[in-house]
Amino acid sequence: MRNIGFVVKNRGFGPIAKAISIAKMFRNNLNNKLLFYGDETGISFANKANVFHEINTLNLQELIHYLKRIDLFIIVMDQDFALLLYSKGSRFIYVDSLFDYWKFTEGLEIKLEVVKNDREALIKLTSTLTSHDKKLVAHMVAFKSIIQYTNKAFLRWNKYKLILPHSKFVQPIVPSELNSQPQISNQSILVNIGGLQPDKMPIDKMYFPFIESVLLNVSEKLEISNLQIKIRGNNNISKYKFNKIIDFNFQNQEDFLIESIASKYVISIPGLTTIMEFFKFGIAAVFCFEQHDSHLHNFKYLQELGYTGTVMVNDHTNSCQNISEAYNQLLQNGNQLDKYCTDIVKALQNPLLLKQTIDMTINNEIVCINTILQKEIY
């Protein structure tokens, strides 16, 4: 029996969804025992996936103590833990996305080329690097690394390929298929606000009240009788009592995607994994409710594709220094808030949105990931 350890920190649902997609491949081999390590959000998500044999709270000190227990680690978007494993000599596969806005220190690839075979010197160098630089190093030192990318980012990545002999590029990391057929509803809106990171957004005092105001306004403008609004987030969402909005408890990621297909309208934060999943399964969503800077870059990515289903909060304010300030301004200005809601409704009712989604559907490359991991799975 081989122990495969999946380590995922909460940076939204995207990393956890990636881990589950990969875990399903490893589950095909009965000799693999899959161990999950994560925080409260990750554990909640992993419990519903029904794919891991053992689920544990992520305690780095305890995990380091039991390193010899794990034959292979799958590290998702946690470059610091990946580099710690490298310093301990553990075997791991590193999984991360690659965004075109990531900035690496000029000449970093030359420095890494010099020390790549000197573990001590490389560990010393990483202590001086930025977060993005460390991601590059994690890909370099991994036994294998998997990079989910956008085409524009891939062009920038080429200059680093010489120091990344074990890296493979995939697009996207999503479920290969759904096991059941959705029952279509003409009276529901599904709203996805993702993994929610309170350290980046004051959710209770500003973000949740804003979402509530918008959804109630949008539902009135849609003029659908008996309209159901279902909202999906992490455990933080259950602590806020929404008015006329259902806190929907999806059993797993597949149930969420099936419900998304079945819903009359879909509104979602612009997380990259969600974007990829929706394009893969032809889900025509309107992307809004951004939470942090990476979402702003994802908006830019969608707009460069020509996708019209985006509504940004900053576009509806006079001028704001940050996203939180923009939400506050809209909450305090009824006319601006109403214009924001009207634009969401126009996007939801745009008949071209579905056609655009189908046209942009990304060919599923889960087979490519299977090929990359074939020896490790079996």
Side-chain angles (χ1 to χ4, degrees):
M1 179 69 72
R2 285 196 319 165
N3 289 327
I4 313 295
F6 289 77
V7 178
V8 185
K9 279 189 177 179
N10 176 28
R11 291 182 176 88
F13 284 153
I16 304 166
K18 290 182 182 69
I20 290 171
S21 293
I22 295 172
K24 287 179 179 177
M25 303 175 205
F26 280 88
R27 184 79 186 224
N28 291 333
N29 183 349
L30 297 179
N31 288 322
N32 290 331
K33 182 177 181 180
L34 309 188
L35 314 175
F36 180 88
Y37 299 90
D39 61 6
E40 182 183 1
T41 296
I43 287 173
S44 174
F45 209 94
N47 275 325
K48 296 172 184 176
N50 196 31
V51 66
F52 298 102
H53 297 95
E54 189 177 302
I55 296 175
N56 308 282
T57 299
L58 179 57
N59 183 312
L60 291 182
Q61 295 305 317
E62 288 185 8
L63 193 52
I64 291 170
H65 182 70
Y66 291 110
L67 284 183
K68 292 182 179 179
R69 178 190 180 199
I70 311 296
D71 298 293
L72 175 69
F73 280 96
I74 310 294
I75 309 300
V76 184
M77 296 176 70
D78 188 349
Q79 66 276 8
D80 291 320
F81 188 65
L83 293 174
L84 177 61
L85 289 179
Y86 171 71
S87 71
K88 302 291 185 182
S90 294
R91 197 163 176 258
F92 66 93
I93 294 173
Y94 183 60
V95 182
D96 210 331
S97 295
L98 170 65
F99 300 103
D100 60 284
Y101 62 89
W102 280 2
K103 305 296 181 187
F104 301 113
T105 301
E106 191 66 32
L108 176 62
E109 71 277 13
I110 299 172
K111 291 181 180 179
L112 293 176
E113 180 69 31
V114 171
V115 300
K116 69 178 184 180
N117 295 318
D118 186 336
R119 185 184 298 268
E120 189 174 327
L122 183 54
I123 292 170
K124 184 176 180 181
L125 175 62
T126 59
S127 66
T128 67
L129 299 180
T130 66
S131 176
H132 287 170
D133 286 350
K134 287 180 179 179
K135 287 181 181 291
L136 185 64
V137 179
H139 283 299
M140 185 183 83
V141 301
F143 163 68
K144 273 179 186 168
S145 84
I146 298 172
I147 302 172
Q148 177 177 273
Y149 68 99
T150 61
N151 289 330
K152 185 176 178 181
F154 186 65
L155 296 176
R156 287 185 60 244
W157 198 248
N158 278 333
K159 67 183 290 188
Y160 302 105
K161 290 192 74 173
L162 287 177
I163 60 172
L164 299 172
H166 307 299
S167 294
K168 301 295 182 181
F169 296 86
V170 298
Q171 184 188 24
I173 300 174
V174 299
S176 57
E177 59 185 14
L178 302 178
N179 294 322
S180 57
Q181 295 299 316
Q183 299 295 315
I184 305 300
S185 168
N186 289 320
Q187 293 180 307
S188 64
I189 301 178
L190 182 67
V191 184
N192 169 48
I193 57 175
L196 294 169
Q197 300 173 60
D199 58 319
K200 295 185 178 181
M201 179 73 67
I203 53 178
D204 289 343
K205 295 181 180 178
M206 178 271 301
Y207 191 59
F208 284 167
F210 177 83
I211 288 174
E212 182 175 51
S213 297
V214 168
L215 293 180
L216 293 177
N217 185 309
V218 165
S219 64
E220 289 181 7
K221 284 180 165 57
L222 288 172
E223 297 181 344
I224 298 176
S225 60
N226 300 319
L227 182 67
Q228 277 192 324
I229 305 175
K230 299 177 181 179
I231 192 164
R232 176 245 200 179
N234 65 10
N235 291 342
N236 286 303
I237 201 170
S238 61
K239 301 171 186 175
Y240 184 87
K241 302 303 179 185
F242 285 99
N243 180 27
K244 299 180 181 179
I245 298 172
I246 300 170
D247 172 9
F248 201 75
N249 184 22
F250 294 96
Q251 292 305 304
N252 54 46
Q253 184 72 353
E254 180 167 313
D255 287 347
F256 162 67
L257 291 170
I258 290 172
E259 188 72 23
S260 299
I261 295 170
S263 297
K264 172 72 172 177
Y265 300 112
V266 178
I267 297 172
S268 176
I269 59 167
L272 185 62
T273 299
T274 300
I275 291 169
M276 297 290 191
E277 287 174 336
F278 283 2
F279 282 174
K280 165 69 176 69
F281 294 106
I283 299 166
V286 172
F287 295 100
C288 53
F289 298 151
E290 60 269 30
Q291 297 171 6
H292 41 73
D293 288 347
S294 69
H295 286 170
L296 301 182
H297 292 285
N298 293 345
F299 271 133
K300 185 178 178 182
Y301 166 64
L302 286 165
Q303 290 162 357
E304 286 174 349
L305 289 176
Y307 192 74
T308 58
T310 62
V311 182
M312 296 178 65
V313 65
N314 262 318
D315 290 346
H316 293 77
T317 61
N318 296 326
S319 63
C320 292
Q321 296 299 314
N322 56 54
I323 298 172
S324 294
E325 184 183 334
Y327 282 122
N328 275 326
Q329 182 171 315
L330 283 187
L331 275 172
Q332 295 167 16
N333 188 311
N335 290 333
Q336 288 180 332
L337 181 63
D338 191 67
K339 173 68 166 56
Y340 177 84
C341 297
T342 298
D343 286 349
I344 290 177
V345 171
K346 286 180 179 177
L348 288 171
Q349 295 179 325
N350 182 359
L352 291 177
L353 195 61
L354 180 58
K355 181 181 184 305
Q356 284 183 324
T357 303
I358 294 171
D359 289 346
M360 291 176 198
T361 294
I362 302 168
N363 290 328
N364 179 33
E365 296 187 19
I366 204 81
V367 174
C368 178
I369 302 173
N370 264 320
T371 302
I372 292 167
L373 298 177
Q374 194 74 25
K375 291 181 181 178
E376 302 314 310
I377 296 170
Y378 297 105

